[in-house]
Amino acid sequence: MEKFFEELADILDVDEVNAEDILEDFDEYDSLSILTVISLAGSKYGKTLTAQDVRACKTAQDLYSLVGD
């Protein structure tokens, strides 16, 4: 889980992301970051996500639940 949050922090251009963080509160959370998360999910976690899947997530934990092991 920690590795995923580190990767998400890189995508969102912040120092740290915690499970309870609200995704929409991040300035860099936009359509490009959503596409990057989809790419990360496929390449590193073997998960196939849609933009709709990612947009349905409210918190970083919700996103991890889709992607995580």
Side-chain angles (χ1 to χ4, degrees), residues 15-64:
D15 293 331
E16 182 178 58
V17 172
N18 297 302
E20 66 278 359
D21 289 340
I22 305 298
L23 296 169
E24 290 184 358
D25 289 348
F26 292 101
D27 292 336
E28 296 294 321
Y29 187 70
D30 57 15
S31 58
L32 181 58
S33 63
I34 289 171
L35 290 175
T36 306
V37 167
I38 292 169
S39 176
L40 173 73
S43 66
K44 291 205 174 182
Y45 296 92
K47 304 285 180 159
T48 301
L49 301 180
T50 66
Q52 185 176 359
D53 294 333
V54 177
R55 284 191 194 107
C57 296
K58 300 296 179 204
T59 66
Q61 179 62 47
D62 295 340
L63 195 54
Y64 177 75

